[in-house]
């Protein structure tokens, strides 16, 4: 039940007030050399709370852009990542 409430709240936040994404792309290299891409939204004041947003299977980090921008505007650091084989990240998701 708690998961359903959290999902409903996240859906409400995303649809309540769309915001323009203002993040910057970052690239991480995995242990096997595969490039993994993310978008980093930086808080204007530090220290700041932080959150990592991970998309669902078959989706990308771009799905989180409206929520990430809202969290950034609320003073949080946010990292939305493309998992291996999704979005701009390299590799294959066939291992899933």
């Amino acid at each position: 039940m708690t998961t359903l409430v959290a999902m409903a709240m996240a859906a409400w936040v995303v649809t309540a007030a769309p915001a323009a994404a203002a993040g910057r792309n970052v690239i991480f290299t995995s242990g096997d050399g595969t490039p993994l891409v993310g978008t980093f939204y930086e808080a204007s004041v530090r220290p700041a709370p932080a959150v990592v947003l991970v998309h669902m299977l078959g989706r990308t980090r771009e799905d989180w852009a409206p929520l990430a921008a809202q969290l950034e505007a609320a003073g949080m650091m946010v990292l939305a990542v493309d998992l291996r084989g999704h979005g701009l990240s390299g590799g294959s998701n066939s291992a899933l």
Side-chain angles (χ1 to χ4, degrees):
M1 183 67 170
T2 306
T3 302
L4 290 175
V5 171
M7 288 173 34
M9 288 177 64
W12 176 80
V13 169
V14 170
T15 59
R24 63 182 167 93
N25 286 348
V26 293
I27 299 174
F28 302 93
T29 303
S30 69
D32 67 359
T34 302
L36 304 174
V37 178
T39 303
F40 180 65
Y41 301 80
E42 193 166 358
S44 58
V45 178
R46 291 186 183 172
V51 65
V52 175
L53 301 174
V54 180
H55 60 79
M56 293 184 284
L57 184 63
R59 306 304 300 214
T60 70
R61 73 186 192 290
E62 295 300 326
D63 293 329
W64 290 116
L67 176 61
Q70 289 177 356
L71 292 172
E72 176 189 38
M76 297 184 74
M77 300 261 200
V78 181
L79 177 63
V81 296
D82 276 337
L83 297 175
R84 177 185 296 267
H86 293 81
L88 297 177
S89 288
S92 169
N93 66 3
S94 62
L96 298 176

